[in-house]
């Protein structure tokens, strides 16, 4: 089936010329004489690419692009502006608005076809990468999730079964020990379920501009107490508390309290999980040049550049060589929550030496 291209231009002669060139090159075309009609056709036919004039009566090309991008199915569709303007400001405006390319009139057939094919090929490569990551995500879930759900569930059921059958012959200490083991397994199961729910919620928020805007307007205070509250949620913190050092400059930042707590919890949990007892884990936070920096550093297993590039949800490196619990969602959750709130997450690491995660967060403006 040929790829479909939508042409939006108020000049019929231009639309006809572009259509003839593209049809000769093997593409299917549809066209509209104004931005409003173009958006309507785009929502109806979901074209593989849109070529749009900038200067049109009614809504111009920039507004047309903005409306097209609000349609979920077209948020990544290649969009090429076509214009007689050559001003660099106009070009920068178009590209910063989310356009993929910019053709200036007059153009020839070769230039048009090359631009279209280049963007189509680029889109194909992006889709292949996305599909590969999705396949990896599915595979990781299939291999990892059953184990992460069944192991704590079997612990809960097994210890509860012992209590049900033998509680009359057990002393208080034995009952208490079984209760602690049930609680430990319950917390592990709760963490697995909670992380999947959080990850799913992130995907919903990332596609809802109103929710994202509301999130980014929330503020919270990052402080020693806030860090301690997050760290106390980590299951194995009691065995590593002596290794943990926290130095925080208090500040008000744009971030939701719960999401910040979750991010810190996951990052410190990873630092503890992937480093040996007796090695330091350092958490630092300070404000500098209009940015709040939060770092979590350990002297553990570390990662290669390739592993950092391939970090993804439900992806644990070298799981077959190490006995480790977890879903592999922690770092992905931390990164995506940080982005949702307008921040950045950076990973620096050297195998068998260290890993440092740096968050760049936005300080809240003083009222």
């Amino acid at each position: 089936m040929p790829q479909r291209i939508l042409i939006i231009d108020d000049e019929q002669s231009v639309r006809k010329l572009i259509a003839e060139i593209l049809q000769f090159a093997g593409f299917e075309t549809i066209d509209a004489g104004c931005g409003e009609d173009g958006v309507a056709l785009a929502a109806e036919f979901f074209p593989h690419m849109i070529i749009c004039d900038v200067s049109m009566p009614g809504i111009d090309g920039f507004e047309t692009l903005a409306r097209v991008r609000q349609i979920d199915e077209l948020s990544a569709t290649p969009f090429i502006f076509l214009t007689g303007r050559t001003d660099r400001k106009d070009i920068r405006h178009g590209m910063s608005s989310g356009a993929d390319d910019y053709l200036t009139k007059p153009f020839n057939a070769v230039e048009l076809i090359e631009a279209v094919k280049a963007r189509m090929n680029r889109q194909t490569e992006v889709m292949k990468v996305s599909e590969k990551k999705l396949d990896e995500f599915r595979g990781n879930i299939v291999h990892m999730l059953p184990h992460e759900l069944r192991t704590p569930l079997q612990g809960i059921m097994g210890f509860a079964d012992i209590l049900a059958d033998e509680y009359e012959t057990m002393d208080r200490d034995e009952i208490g020990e079984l209760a602690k083991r049930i609680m430990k397994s319950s917390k592990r199961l709760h963490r697995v379920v909670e992380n999947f729910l959080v990850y799913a919620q992130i995907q919903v928020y990332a596609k809802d501009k109103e929710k994202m805007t509301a999130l980014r307007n929330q503020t919270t205070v990052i402080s020693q107490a806030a860090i301690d509250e997050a760290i106390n949620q980590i299951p194995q913190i009691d065995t590593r508390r002596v290794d943990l050092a926290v130095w925080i400059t208090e500040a008000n930042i744009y971030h939701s309290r719960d999401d910040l707590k979750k991010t810190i919890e996951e990052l410190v949990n990873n630092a503890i999980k992937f480093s040996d007892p007796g090695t330091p884990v350092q958490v630092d936070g300070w404000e500098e040049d209009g940015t709040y920096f939060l770092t979590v550093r350990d002297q553990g297993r570390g990662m290669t550049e390739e592993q950092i590039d391939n970090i993804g949800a439900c992806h644990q490196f070298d799981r077959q060589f190490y006995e480790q619990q977890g879903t592999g969602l922690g770092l992905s959750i931390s990164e995506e929550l940080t982005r949702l709130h307008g921040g950045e997450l950076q990973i620096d690491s050297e195998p068998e030496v260290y890993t440092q995660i740096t968050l760049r967060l936005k300080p809240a403006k003083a009222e």
Side-chain angles (χ1 to χ4, degrees):
M1 182 177 178
Q3 293 172 307
R4 181 185 296 119
I5 298 177
L6 169 61
I7 306 161
I8 308 173
D9 197 299
D10 60 312
E11 295 186 33
Q12 184 177 6
S13 60
V14 174
R15 298 199 308 273
K16 182 178 179 180
L17 175 61
I18 295 174
E20 289 177 351
I21 294 173
L22 294 177
Q23 289 168 11
F24 182 78
F27 296 101
E28 178 184 323
T29 64
I30 51 176
D31 64 87
C34 65
E36 290 91 342
D37 291 346
V39 173
L41 283 177
E44 180 180 356
F45 291 101
F46 302 123
H48 298 88
M49 175 180 285
I50 298 173
I51 298 175
C52 182
D53 189 23
V54 170
S55 299
M56 297 183 293
I59 64 171
D60 63 12
F62 300 126
E63 178 63 22
T64 300
L65 171 59
R67 295 190 186 185
V68 165
R69 289 291 186 247
Q70 291 175 358
I71 303 171
D72 288 344
E73 294 85 351
L74 300 174
S75 61
T77 299
F79 196 106
I80 296 179
F81 272 133
L82 186 65
T83 181
R85 300 177 182 177
T86 57
D87 192 303
R88 288 183 177 272
K89 290 183 179 179
D90 291 325
I91 294 176
R92 284 199 299 270
H93 184 193
M95 301 306 286
S96 64
S97 298
D100 297 279
D101 208 343
Y102 217 104
L103 283 176
T104 56
K105 303 175 184 177
F107 60 90
N108 59 47
V110 173
E111 290 173 334
L112 176 63
I113 295 300
E114 286 182 350
V116 168
K117 287 186 175 180
R119 291 302 162 185
M120 286 293 194
N121 291 338
R122 174 59 179 163
Q123 183 72 1
T124 299
E125 291 302 315
V126 169
M127 292 178 65
K128 286 181 179 178
V129 172
S130 298
E131 188 62 32
K132 181 181 178 181
K133 289 185 176 181
L134 184 58
D135 287 341
E136 290 178 352
F137 179 68
R138 295 191 190 105
N140 290 335
I141 288 180
V142 169
H143 288 93
M144 171 274 301
L145 187 56
H147 172 78
E148 289 300 321
L149 291 175
R150 286 172 181 160
T151 300
L153 185 58
Q154 287 172 349
I156 294 169
M157 294 172 65
F159 296 135
D161 190 50
I162 294 173
L163 275 176
D165 290 343
E166 303 180 20
Y167 74 94
E168 292 182 345
T169 63
M170 298 173 68
D171 60 35
R172 184 169 181 170
D173 290 341
E174 289 175 321
I175 293 175
E177 180 61 29
L178 285 177
K180 289 179 181 178
R181 295 190 179 190
I182 291 174
M183 180 58 70
K184 182 179 180 180
S185 293
S186 299
K187 286 183 176 179
R188 178 178 173 183
L189 182 59
H190 176 267
R191 185 178 183 82
V192 172
V193 174
E194 183 70 16
N195 276 5
F196 271 95
L197 292 176
V198 169
Y199 188 78
Q201 186 179 50
I202 289 172
Q203 308 314 307
V204 173
Y205 273 61
K207 294 181 179 180
D208 191 318
K209 292 186 178 180
E210 290 186 5
K211 289 183 178 180
M212 188 181 297
T213 300
L215 265 182
R216 292 188 175 185
N217 286 329
Q218 293 186 39
T219 63
T220 190
V221 175
I222 185 168
S223 62
Q224 181 78 39
I227 300 294
D228 289 342
E229 182 181 4
I231 289 173
N232 286 335
Q233 301 300 311
I234 298 172
Q236 65 271 43
I237 186 60
D238 289 338
T239 63
R240 295 293 304 276
R241 197 177 293 275
V242 68
D243 299 329
L244 189 63
V246 180
W247 182 84
I248 294 293
T249 298
E250 187 170 308
N252 197 31
I253 62 172
Y254 282 112
H255 216 294
S256 78
R257 177 181 178 275
D258 290 341
D259 288 348
L260 179 64
K261 177 181 173 182
K262 182 63 176 175
T263 298
I264 295 169
E265 176 189 341
E266 293 299 331
L267 293 181
V268 177
N269 181 66
N270 273 359
I272 289 174
K273 184 193 299 185
F274 298 114
S275 63
D276 294 329
T279 61
V281 173
Q282 180 75 37
V283 181
D284 295 320
W286 71 97
E287 187 174 345
E288 181 180 334
D289 296 330
T291 299
Y292 192 91
F293 295 88
L294 181 68
T295 63
V296 179
R297 184 184 181 96
D298 67 75
Q299 295 180 14
R301 189 186 306 171
M303 291 181 283
T304 65
E305 291 185 8
E306 181 180 2
Q307 288 175 329
I308 293 174
D309 290 339
N310 289 322
I311 285 173
C314 297
H315 193 163
Q316 287 191 326
F317 300 108
D318 301 328
R319 185 178 176 118
Q320 67 272 32
F321 300 117
Y322 299 94
E323 180 58 34
Q324 60 193 43
Q325 299 177 4
T327 60
L329 278 173
L331 192 52
S332 291
I333 286 174
S334 300
E335 183 174 24
E336 297 200 29
L337 283 178
T338 302
R339 287 178 180 173
L340 273 183
H341 290 277
E344 298 178 3
L345 182 148
Q346 177 181 327
I347 305 172
D348 297 292
S349 189
E350 185 176 341
E352 305 303 328
V353 179
Y354 80 100
T355 295
Q356 177 170 299
I357 310 295
T358 301
L359 303 183
R360 290 180 175 85
L361 309 173
K362 296 173 62 177
K365 298 177 183 178
E367 297 294 337

